[in-house]
Amino acid sequence: MYPEPRFFGVFEMLRQMRLPLTEVMPVYTGYFAALYDALSQAYEWDLDDYLKLAASSPGPVLELGCGSGRITVPLARQGHEVIALDASPDMLALLRRRLEREDESVARRVTIVQSDMRDLRLDERFGLVLLPANNLGLLADEADRHEVFSRVRAHLAPGGRFAFDNALAEQDRLLAQNGDLVAFPASSGGEEQFVLSAHRYLPEEGVQIMNYYAESVDATGRTRRYLGGWTKAVLPDAAVAGLLAATGLRAEETRTYDLDFDRRRMMLYICSAA
């Protein structure tokens, strides 16, 4: 599910330098799973929408790409049974840790499933299926997108809804940010850290690559280094419309959101079986 990261610019130079105590990994594993969890806590633009959809949907909620539980836990606090599915054992370990800090009544509403969403096969249908956090982009191959959406439709209860978001394919905006380096400090577990990040949009491939480099220095001055990244498909509206039509789904409603913190616009799709 998470391919080896592709590097560019200074990040590729750092990879080639092979500095000691350097680990290279996809974003949703190891060090970068914890970093993603920390950064995603401020990512709330979609939460109210998903909570409102769940409040008007019968039965349990199926969340694909649940990660460390940014949406899972609020759903469970609201009283919903949640099937939380993710391919990354490191992200699910963070979710389990988060649930340990919750009231037992909240934790027992969450059933964790470690699986690639392309292999979705559960003996249950759902009134609401969620694919949040631009996880659609992780399905870089058209056949994979078709498989997941077909699986989702098969898991919808009669009258059920499927909600997902997609970063808008605004080439001028994406190209204007190409290679912009962002650096920020962090501290965790008594270690001082800094993180360097940048993205590159490749219009000829229809993908966006995100790179991260981090250094973590403990109290003795020992430095550990981490290189990671992800590649996501950038899908225009026409491609999403074609995907829905091909998999027997229809968009009942769409909503657009401007995200100032990362200079993107997102489209939320609320769908049902056609």
Side-chain angles (χ1 to χ4, degrees), residues 213-242:
Y213 172 73
E215 290 191 359
S216 181
V217 184
D218 66 20
T220 70
R222 184 173 182 262
T223 300
R224 291 175 297 172
R225 302 172 178 86
Y226 305 92
L227 268 170
W230 48 248
T231 300
K232 287 189 176 184
V234 179
L235 300 178
D237 290 344
V240 176

Side-chain angles (χ1 to χ4, degrees), residues 144-162:
D144 288 340
R145 294 192 291 271
H146 190 282
E147 177 65 20
V148 169
F149 275 50
S150 295
R151 293 280 87 219
V152 166
R153 189 188 187 285
H155 284 76
L156 284 179
R161 291 174 293 179
F162 172 38

Side-chain angles (χ1 to χ4, degrees), residues 43 131-138 165-167 208 232-233 264 266:
Y43 194 75
L131 180 62
N134 199 27
N135 283 327
L136 172 61
L138 292 172
D165 54 43
N166 179 53
Q208 185 182 42
K232 287 189 176 184
R264 284 187 301 169
M266 301 290 293

Side-chain angles (χ1 to χ4, degrees), residues 1 64 85 87 113-123 139 144 147-149 151-152 155:
M1 182 66 194
L64 305 178
L85 181 146
V113 177
Q114 183 182 331
S115 174
D116 190 313
M117 69 179 80
R118 294 171 295 187
D119 300 325
L120 176 63
R121 283 170 178 80
L122 302 174
D123 294 326
L139 302 166
D144 288 340
E147 177 65 20
V148 169
F149 275 50
R151 293 280 87 219
V152 166
H155 284 76

